Amino acid sequence: MDKSLVERDRQAIWHPYTQMRLAPDPLPIVEGSGARLKDELGNYYIDAISSWWVNLHGHAHPYLAQKIYEQALQLEQVIFAGFTHAPAIRLAERLLHILPKGFSKIFYSDNGSTAVEVALKMAMQYWRNQEQPDIDDAIKSQRGVSSVLRGITRKKILALTHAYHGDTFGAMSVSERGVFTVAFQDYLFEVAFADVNEWSTVNNDWDEFACFIYEPMVQGAGGMKMCEARALNALLKKCRQHQIICIADEVMTGFGRTGKLFASEYLDEQPDIICLSKGLTGGMMALGATACTQKIYDAFLSDDRSKTFFHGHSYTANPIACSAGNASLDLLLQDECFINIQRITAKHAGFLQQLQRIDVVKHPRQCGTILAFELDYGDDGYLNNISSILHGKALNKGVLLRPLGNTVYIMPPYCTTNEELDEVYNCVLEIIA
Ligand code: PMP
């Protein structure tokens, strides 16, 4: 007899963020359409978390699929050093057009973590390139390279408590130290962490910070923590006063999730660098992008080749992924999409009022299409096992939820209908009852 998909999965696959001994069998999904996923037995699930926050317009969207197909038939991949192509150029131009003012270059990579790595490396090398004379000049001055190489004064990095920026080493280093990072803590570089409301306690010389990285308005994996624009503005202003490079990680908040195209639009103070991924392709293809201002870019222009930005991935600016990005923007920038975002935002606001009356619900909150609360059950934190219980119960009711510990959140694709939202809300109410 043929082995089932689950048996074959169990034999061959190691899943992300999954304790393989304790986790229930994975659910084989065979199809997606709109906000729904269908399993091999024909059961449907509303994807209330946009499949790890990537999906914007619905699953297997025919327009996106068509554009990917056309691109795959024309040009599937080409090395991106020394070569270029229209899908990457068009996507970069369009991103620069819709991002907050002041951005002038796009650097492509593969995912959210790499978009963050690129941003951190840009900021670190910015200071090195600024503070070090050209090696060529040093040699010409006949004083020798070592005599003119000074120590870099801007070496420290500032991040927010509760931050999550990804799973590669740089991204882990700037993330809150906790269960995700504990096994690697000896290998992570040192970072100062500031509370967005109490940063005046930061015990460092602010002129030593090279950069400050933050998730604007909503901190995702750290527990859907939401902040006041006023508080973050004040911290950003302080960074500005000290010429610290500001990096907005909009990997999760970008592309309409918070009710604006980018969460940075809620803020007066704008970053020097923005990290994008997830919704960048509408959830169709893996792609990362790091946008920077002319000031950052200019610091790498030199006759001295050692000032080059030595970073790139095999699939940098993959044409199919860029085409998915362009197709997703086609849909995102239509009025219909923003009407849907506003519709979901308004529906969430109604549900929030209902949640406020429930005893076991703590800190119900919302930012645009993201709604979250803590369930008053056990300790706050990712390892609270209530998460897997709620996940299982919701699946039985045809809804995909994946609470972060006892933090329950809803972040649906924008095509989710009012009826589907009601199904999700009812499911949440039933499982917490
Ligand atoms: N930054 C933020 C704010 C994120 O939420 C995530 C992923 N959840 C990442 C970075 C890392 O993205 P990826 O998983 O694509 O590497």
Side-chain angles (χ1 to χ4, degrees):
M1 200 177 76
D2 282 351
K3 281 191 186 145
S4 71
L5 282 180
V6 170
E7 280 173 300
R8 286 162 55 198
D9 174 287
R10 281 295 194 184
Q11 271 171 13
I13 291 179
W14 187 351
H15 287 269
Y17 278 91
T18 303
Q19 174 42 264
M20 297 301 291
R21 171 167 288 173
L22 302 177
D25 285 337
L27 193 60
I29 295 296
V30 293
E31 255 177 61
S33 171
R36 290 181 194 258
L37 295 164
K38 182 176 152 189
D39 73 14
E40 57 176 355
L41 301 176
N43 303 308
Y44 284 91
Y45 306 90
I46 301 174
D47 185 353
I49 59 162
S50 299
S51 280
W52 257 345
W53 324 339
V54 300
N55 193 291
L56 302 187
H57 313 294
H59 287 281
H61 194 289
Y63 178 74
L64 301 186
Q66 180 66 29
K67 291 292 176 183
I68 287 174
Y69 172 70
E70 286 167 13
Q71 185 59 45
L73 284 180
Q74 190 175 340
L75 175 69
E76 86 304 348
Q77 168 66 4
V78 60
I79 177 174
F80 206 59
F83 294 83
T84 193
H85 51 80
I89 296 166
R90 181 148 181 268
L91 182 58
E93 287 171 347
R94 294 173 82 190
L95 289 173
L96 293 173
H97 186 68
I98 61 172
L99 280 167
K101 276 200 206 68
F103 288 88
S104 62
K105 292 287 183 288
I106 299 291
F107 192 100
Y108 288 109
S109 63
D110 301 340
N111 54 61
S113 303
T114 55
V116 167
E117 294 291 331
V118 166
L120 293 172
K121 287 174 73 173
M122 275 180 183
M124 292 168 180
Q125 197 181 338
Y126 169 88
W127 288 110
R128 190 182 171 82
N129 284 2
Q130 292 275 313
E131 296 188 14
Q132 298 288 16
D134 283 1
I135 299 220
D136 284 353
D137 291 350
I139 292 165
K140 276 186 220 139
S141 76
Q142 296 184 332
R143 281 184 293 146
V145 176
S146 57
S147 68
V148 293
L149 285 186
R150 295 183 296 265
I152 306 295
T153 57
R154 296 267 187 176
K155 273 194 164 166
K156 304 236 161 87
I157 292 178
L158 184 65
L160 289 179
T161 47
H162 309 299
Y164 174 84
H165 295 288
D167 291 344
T168 49
F169 273 85
M172 277 198 291
S173 296
V174 292
S175 298
E176 168 121 347
R177 301 293 189 270
V179 61
F180 301 163
T181 58
V182 67
F184 316 103
Q185 62 191 8
D186 291 345
Y187 307 92
L188 304 182
F189 55 75
E190 209 184 298
V191 167
F193 288 95
D195 185 294
V196 69
N197 296 306
E198 286 169 32
W199 46 265
S200 55
T201 56
V202 169
N203 256 340
N204 291 74
D205 177 352
W206 288 71
D207 289 322
E208 289 183 355
F209 285 125
C211 63
F212 164 52
I213 182 163
Y214 61 101
E215 293 157 87
M217 305 309 291
V218 188
Q219 292 180 292
M224 296 297 157
K225 300 232 169 0
M226 300 180 188
C227 76
E228 300 277 341
R230 197 167 30 89
L232 190 50
N233 266 327
L235 174 50
L236 286 166
K237 209 163 179 180
K238 171 80 175 168
C239 291
R240 282 264 164 268
Q241 281 162 3
H242 293 271
Q243 279 91 49
I244 297 165
I245 292 175
C246 296
I247 303 172
D249 177 351
E250 293 238 21
V251 166
M252 187 271 282
T253 53
F255 304 102
R257 289 286 181 208
T258 66
K260 298 198 188 267
L261 256 185
F262 299 99
S264 291
E265 293 172 28
Y266 284 100
L267 299 160
D268 301 328
E269 301 295 330
Q270 293 304 315
D272 305 282
I273 299 179
I274 293 192
C275 309
L276 303 170
S277 186
K278 293 196 187 275
L280 174 57
T281 63
M284 270 283 188
M285 298 284 301
L287 184 66
T290 306
C292 73
T293 59
Q294 193 68 33
K295 177 182 96 171
I296 303 289
Y297 178 74
D298 283 348
F300 291 78
L301 298 181
S302 173
D303 294 331
D304 177 354
R305 282 169 196 271
S306 76
K307 293 194 169 172
T308 304
F309 190 47
F310 291 110
H311 190 105
H313 300 278
S314 320
Y315 284 99
T316 298
N318 171 259
I320 303 175
C322 290
S323 290
N326 279 310
S328 176
L329 283 187
D330 291 345
L331 300 181
L332 183 69
L333 299 177
Q334 282 175 13
D335 289 347
E336 190 191 332
C337 191
F338 252 75
I339 291 169
N340 276 332
I341 290 173
Q342 284 167 348
R343 175 180 57 78
I344 293 171
T345 302
K347 279 285 277 183
H348 274 1
F351 184 50
L352 201 68
Q353 291 194 335
Q354 247 179 299
L355 287 173
Q356 273 153 357
R357 294 192 289 269
I358 298 176
D359 272 356
V360 289
V361 169
K362 292 191 296 182
H363 314 305
R365 54 196 181 272
Q366 179 195 2
C367 186
T369 70
I370 307 170
L371 178 144
F373 64 89
E374 272 73 47
L375 198 62
D376 193 359
Y377 179 95
D379 295 333
D380 288 352
Y382 190 81
L383 288 186
N384 187 329
N385 194 42
I386 190 70
S387 146
S388 24
I389 297 170
L390 295 177
H391 171 73
K393 283 185 185 292
L395 274 186
N396 286 336
K397 292 181 182 296
V399 176
L400 169 50
L401 291 175
R402 198 171 182 282
L404 298 151
N406 62 329
T407 302
V408 180
Y409 69 90
I410 304 172
M411 196 192 299
Y414 306 148
C415 64
T416 310
T417 63
N418 283 346
E419 293 69 37
E420 287 167 335
L421 287 173
D422 285 332
E423 263 186 69
V424 174
Y425 300 154
N426 287 335
C427 166
V428 168
L429 293 176
E430 283 168 23
I431 60 177
I432 65 175

